[in-house]
């Protein structure tokens, strides 16, 4: 039970990172982006390639930071992947979503995002093959926190949790302390009024994709560290991330953080009462419960 | 020769069943602007409902009620409608993202439940032991398939006529009014949430009908039949054909099903063996590109929605 709770918090840390970007995009561009989870896969595979390149070029970076299984090469790859995935998110918007948006079919954006998700997911599958990949082939031994009840925790997981919380704190500072943070909120509230007051709408949208993509990359890599990389990981992550945004309230960054942890913990606690085969349904049950009790989520506001 | 004809009948039957599903989705998306991300769940509810109600007794899971076929089919449609009612009631008053996410979730949960709950519908093994209606009289051969195709075609025409009349009726006008400007419709004393719920349930019942016919055709349904693939195919059919146009929906169903079958055949025939493992991936990329490409270059589809002027202004 306590083990499930701990695992849930760790799952929650990468779900939250994924959900933050998604909720921002849904708030500003007003469409459910079903291709967001593919940005997680994109980031994860990007880091895989980059890790291999850096390790080959500078072998001294391929040494592990004991007791972590992470290497200096992977640390660099995380940063590179954040940038590249952010730029990819921006490119996808420029090439596809922006055009669909400008055709005036706002509702069609959902279809377009599904189409993009199919394309990205299967192109990754074609390039990397359908079998799973790992960042490190070595077995990461878990530390035993207590023997009775048995509680195990991997050093990598501790790193993931701390890194995720740090990133969220930095984002909090940006959103609450900078002019950019204010303009972001202004655009979300009322795009035309924000423009009248000198907020550059295009720039804000670009920034949202960059931030969303970068956080998605980290989330994907952390998922890869905790589990493994498979081309269809986006398919398994898309519903939990959406559930996190709905639980937190669409548009609320803090809601997305909390929602991510709630979905992660609920999914792991459900293992206590349900057979593991039912785990993929848990996010849906959470969505239904939230819609019944508090339709706008924990921190969301009503908006048509 | 008879081989070709019997294949064509098989192809046309499947395409016609899918065309019925596309018509159901068209009522939701094309006419009302409701995004259904879980087409396959309502389709599956129809198929599972029909087979469980109309099948012979099976050990280990629900079923074997042996209900008269038309009633079993009706039961499948009711199952799809009930599911739509539940999802719609919770989401249709909120902004449109919620419906998209919740319907997508329904499809995930439905497939998950059917795969795991052996007591309900046989789990991964699926529902077997369904006796196709009139099999004793017609046998299992070509004649049966031909008559089944004729029946499906009649149902397709029936659904088409029903929807054409519905769309031309005051209710259809109301659907378009709400799709175009919800507040304006509200100011005229209409209740958008309620009207949308009606349209969503009606569309889902038609999806359930298509699913029931699909289950009947194969006399078997398993979780493999309710994978998200089907949702993507049905969307592509509607987008290619033209959302809001019932003829476009039927046209799109035949075109996309033809393209899907042909691409699968071509890949299995001409692609090297080591590439064949990736047939699914290639087909998914194709269907994703069709959806994205249509939305970028011809969002209205090949047969666009026709403007309906119900009352011309007097000069």
């Amino acid at each position: 039970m306590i083990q499930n709770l701990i695992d849930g918090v760790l799952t929650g840390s990468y779900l939250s990172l994924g959900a933050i970007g998604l909720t921002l995009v849904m708030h500003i561009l007003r469409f459910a982006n079903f291709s967001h989870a593919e940005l997680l896969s994109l980031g994860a595979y990007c880091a895989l390639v980059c890790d291999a390149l850096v390790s080959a070029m500078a072998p001294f970076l391929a040494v592990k930071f004991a007791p972590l299984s992470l290497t200096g090469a992977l640390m660099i790859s995380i940063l590179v992947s954040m940038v590249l995935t952010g730029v990819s998110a921006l490119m996808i918007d420029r090439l596809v979503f922006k055009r669909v948006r400008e055709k005036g079919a706002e509702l069609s954006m959902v279809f377009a995002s599904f189409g993009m998700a199919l394309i990205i997911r299967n192109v990754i599958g074609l390039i990397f093959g359908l079998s799973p990949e790992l960042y490190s082939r070595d077995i990461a031994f878990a530390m035993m926190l207590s023997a009775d009840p048995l509680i195990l925790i991997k050093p990598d997981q501790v790193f993931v949790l701390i890194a995720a919380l740090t990133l969220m704190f930095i984002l909090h500072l940006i959103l609450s302390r900078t002019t950019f943070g204010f303009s972001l909120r202004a655009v979300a509230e009322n795009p035309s009024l924000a423009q009248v007051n000198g907020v550059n709408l295009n720039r804000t949208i670009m920034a949202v994709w960059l931030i969303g993509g970068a956080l998605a990359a980290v989330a994907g890599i952390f998922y890869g560290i905790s589990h493994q990389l498979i081309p269809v990981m986006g398919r398994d992550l898309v519903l939990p991330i959406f559930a996190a945004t709905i639980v937190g309230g669409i548009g609320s960054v803090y809601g997305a953080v909390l929602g991510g942890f709630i979905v992660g913990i609920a999914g792991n606690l459900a293992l206590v009462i349900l057979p593991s085969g039912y785990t993929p349904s848990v996010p849906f049950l959470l969505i239904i419960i939230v819609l019944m009790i508090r339709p706008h989520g924990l921190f969301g506001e009503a908006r048509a | 020769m008879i081989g070709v004809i019997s294949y064509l009948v098989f192809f046309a039957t499947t395409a016609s069943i899918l065309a019925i599903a596309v018509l159901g989705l068209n009522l939701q998306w094309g006419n009302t602007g409701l995004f259904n991300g879980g087409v396959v769940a309502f389709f599956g509810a129809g198929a599972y409902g029909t087979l469980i109600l109309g099948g012979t007794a099976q050990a280990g899971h629900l079923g074997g009620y042996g209900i008269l076929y038309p009633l079993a089919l009706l039961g499948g449609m009711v199952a799809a409608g009930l599911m739509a009612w539940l999802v719609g009631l919770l989401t249709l008053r909120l902004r449109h993202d919620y419906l998209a996410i919740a319907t997508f979730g329904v499809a995930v949960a439905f497939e998950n439940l059917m795969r795991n709950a052996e007591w309900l519908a046989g789990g991964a093994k699926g529902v077997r032991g369904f006796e196709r209606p009139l099999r004793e009289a017609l046998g299992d051969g070509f004649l049966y398939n031909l008559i089944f195709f004729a029946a499906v075609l009649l149902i397709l025409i029936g659904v088409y006529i029903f929807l054409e009349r519905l769309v031309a009726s005051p209710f259809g006008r109301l659907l378009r009014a709400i799709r175009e400007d919800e507040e304006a419709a509200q100011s005229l004393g209409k209740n958008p949430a309620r009207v949308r719920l009606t349209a969503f349930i009606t569309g889902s019942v038609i999806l359930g009908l298509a699913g029931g016919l699909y289950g009947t055709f194969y006399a078997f349904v398993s979780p493999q039949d309710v994978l998200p693939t089907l949702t993507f195919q049905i969307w592509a059919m509607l987008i290619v054909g033209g959302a809001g146009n019932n003829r476009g929906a039927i046209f799109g169903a035949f075109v996309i099903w033809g393209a899907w079958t042909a691409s699968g055949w071509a890949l299995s025939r001409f692609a090297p063996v080591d590439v064949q493992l990736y047939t699914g991936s290639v087909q998914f990329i194709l269907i994703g590109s069709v959806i994205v490409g249509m939305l970028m270059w011809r969002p209205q589809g090949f047969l666009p929605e026709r403007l309906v002027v119900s009352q011309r202004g007097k000069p």
Side-chain angles (χ1 to χ4, degrees):
Chain A
M1 185 82 176
I2 297 170
Q3 178 74 52
N4 291 74
L5 205 61
I6 293 173
D7 288 343
V9 171
L10 297 167
T11 312
S13 58
Y14 58 77
L15 289 182
S16 297
L17 287 176
I20 292 171
L22 182 59
T23 209
L24 281 175
V25 169
M26 277 164 65
H27 200 37
I28 306 265
L29 294 173
R30 302 177 185 223
F31 81 106
N33 181 9
F34 277 87
S35 66
H36 191 79
E38 306 312 317
L39 293 176
L40 272 75
S41 335
L42 207 62
Y45 276 91
C46 191
L48 184 75
V49 174
C50 184
D51 183 43
L53 285 177
V54 174
S55 304
M57 282 191 294
F60 64 91
L61 282 172
V63 181
K64 290 189 174 54
F65 300 128
L68 302 177
S69 74
L70 299 157
T71 62
L74 188 61
M75 296 288 184
I76 296 171
S77 308
I78 292 177
L79 295 176
V80 174
S81 171
M82 282 174 81
V83 175
L84 288 180
T85 311
V87 173
S88 314
L90 198 60
M91 295 296 288
I92 294 170
D93 183 57
R94 271 292 149 86
L95 290 174
V96 180
F97 295 146
K98 199 168 175 219
R99 295 193 193 184
V100 176
R101 209 158 50 226
E102 279 163 4
K103 286 258 176 187
E106 274 202 9
L107 284 171
S108 305
M109 298 279 282
V110 190
F111 280 115
S113 75
F114 251 111
M116 280 316 291
L118 281 181
I119 296 174
I120 299 172
R121 185 184 305 159
N122 290 289
V123 167
I124 292 177
L126 282 185
I127 296 173
F128 291 94
L130 301 176
S131 44
E133 302 268 358
L134 291 167
Y135 289 120
S136 162
R137 300 237 160 257
D138 302 333
I139 299 164
F141 289 101
M143 296 184 295
M144 196 164 70
L145 290 188
S146 86
D148 186 43
L150 185 66
I151 297 172
L152 296 170
I153 193 162
K154 286 183 197 163
D156 286 352
Q157 295 177 314
V158 180
F159 165 79
V160 164
L161 181 63
I162 293 171
L165 290 175
T166 315
L167 273 174
M168 289 169 201
F169 184 67
I170 295 172
L171 187 71
H172 160 72
L173 290 182
I174 293 176
L175 288 180
S176 61
R177 302 281 195 280
T178 64
T179 323
F180 165 72
F182 289 122
S183 61
L184 204 66
R185 273 189 273 165
V187 169
E189 286 293 323
N190 188 335
S192 354
L193 199 58
Q195 273 179 301
V196 168
N197 281 298
V199 174
N200 188 330
L201 185 65
N202 267 330
R203 268 229 199 110
T204 316
I205 291 176
M206 279 169 68
V208 164
W209 283 114
L210 281 175
I211 296 176
L215 292 178
V218 184
I221 297 165
F222 287 177
Y223 175 86
I225 293 173
S226 321
H227 306 275
Q228 58 185 9
L229 301 176
I230 39 168
V232 294
M233 59 192 261
R235 186 195 62 196
D236 302 333
L237 282 167
V238 63
L239 195 59
I241 294 177
F242 268 122
T245 64
I246 287 192
V247 170
I250 292 176
S252 162
V253 171
Y254 307 110
V257 172
L258 197 63
F261 283 107
I262 292 175
V263 172
I265 293 170
N268 279 283
L269 282 184
L271 290 173
V272 180
I273 45 170
L274 282 175
S276 64
Y278 289 105
T279 311
S281 300
V282 174
F284 173 69
L285 288 179
L286 268 181
I287 292 176
I288 292 296
I289 293 169
V290 169
L291 289 179
M292 282 198 281
I293 302 171
R294 203 180 153 83
H296 295 290
L298 295 172
F299 295 104
E301 66 234 56
R303 193 174 82 172
Chain B
M1 192 59 200
I2 191 80
V4 176
I5 293 175
S6 82
Y7 181 75
L8 281 179
V9 168
F10 170 78
F11 172 84
T13 310
T14 318
S16 306
I17 292 173
L18 291 172
I20 296 173
V22 182
L23 282 175
L25 182 68
N26 190 27
L27 179 66
Q28 298 176 339
W29 169 250
N31 298 116
T32 325
L34 298 173
F35 180 88
N36 186 345
V39 170
V40 74
F42 304 101
F43 189 88
Y48 271 99
T50 306
L51 293 206
I52 289 176
L53 288 173
T56 52
Q58 293 297 303
H61 67 79
L62 278 185
Y65 303 107
I67 292 172
L68 194 68
Y69 179 70
L71 290 177
L73 189 61
L74 205 64
M77 291 159 72
V78 170
L82 278 177
M83 220 158 73
W85 176 73
L86 179 76
V87 178
L89 207 60
L90 288 173
T91 55
L92 285 172
R93 253 167 291 158
L94 306 165
R95 54 185 271 198
H96 57 83
D97 318 21
Y98 284 93
L99 180 69
I101 299 166
T103 45
F104 177 74
V106 166
V108 172
F110 185 81
E111 196 254 346
N112 188 242
L113 183 68
M114 291 308 156
R115 196 174 287 283
N116 286 287
E118 294 222 350
W119 52 270
L120 182 65
K125 293 194 299 290
V127 181
R128 287 174 196 281
F130 177 75
E131 188 87 357
R132 304 213 291 176
L134 300 178
R135 187 170 152 262
E136 277 173 25
L138 298 169
D140 264 331
F142 179 64
L143 180 68
Y144 189 94
N145 289 339
L146 201 63
I147 289 177
F148 189 80
F149 171 57
V152 170
L153 204 60
L154 277 179
I155 295 175
L156 173 63
I157 294 169
V159 171
Y160 172 78
I161 293 172
F162 165 72
L163 286 175
E164 281 290 295
R165 300 188 81 152
L166 187 76
V167 168
S169 73
F171 182 75
R173 226 159 36 223
L174 184 55
L175 290 183
R176 286 190 296 279
I178 289 170
R179 182 189 67 187
E180 297 303 329
D181 191 337
E182 186 180 333
E183 278 170 20
Q186 221 164 1
S187 74
L188 295 172
K190 308 297 180 190
N191 182 348
R194 207 190 149 129
V195 174
R196 277 199 294 235
L197 186 61
T198 314
F200 187 66
I201 295 176
T202 312
S204 298
V205 166
I206 295 173
L207 284 170
L209 168 66
L213 291 172
Y214 180 87
T216 313
F217 186 46
Y218 289 99
F220 170 65
V221 63
S222 80
Q224 286 309 107
D225 297 313
V226 293
L227 293 176
T229 322
L230 189 64
T231 302
F232 304 139
Q233 288 168 340
I234 291 176
W235 284 349
M237 290 166 184
L238 182 59
I239 293 173
V240 166
N245 184 326
N246 285 326
R247 268 181 234 176
I250 297 173
F251 167 76
F254 278 82
V255 168
I256 291 292
W257 188 241
W260 181 269
T261 319
S263 69
W265 176 80
L267 282 166
S268 69
R269 183 87 169 69
F270 300 115
V273 177
D274 49 330
V275 179
Q276 291 200 4
L277 184 62
Y278 294 95
T279 304
S281 301
V282 173
Q283 282 190 305
F284 276 125
I285 293 173
L286 287 178
I287 207 147
S289 311
V290 165
I291 292 176
V292 174
M294 283 301 287
L295 289 174
M296 275 163 69
W297 290 294
R298 201 180 159 83
Q300 69 275 36
F302 284 111
L303 298 178
E305 183 176 5
R306 285 159 300 170
L307 263 181
V308 185
V309 181
S310 26
Q311 283 179 331
R312 295 195 180 277
K314 293 190 181 74

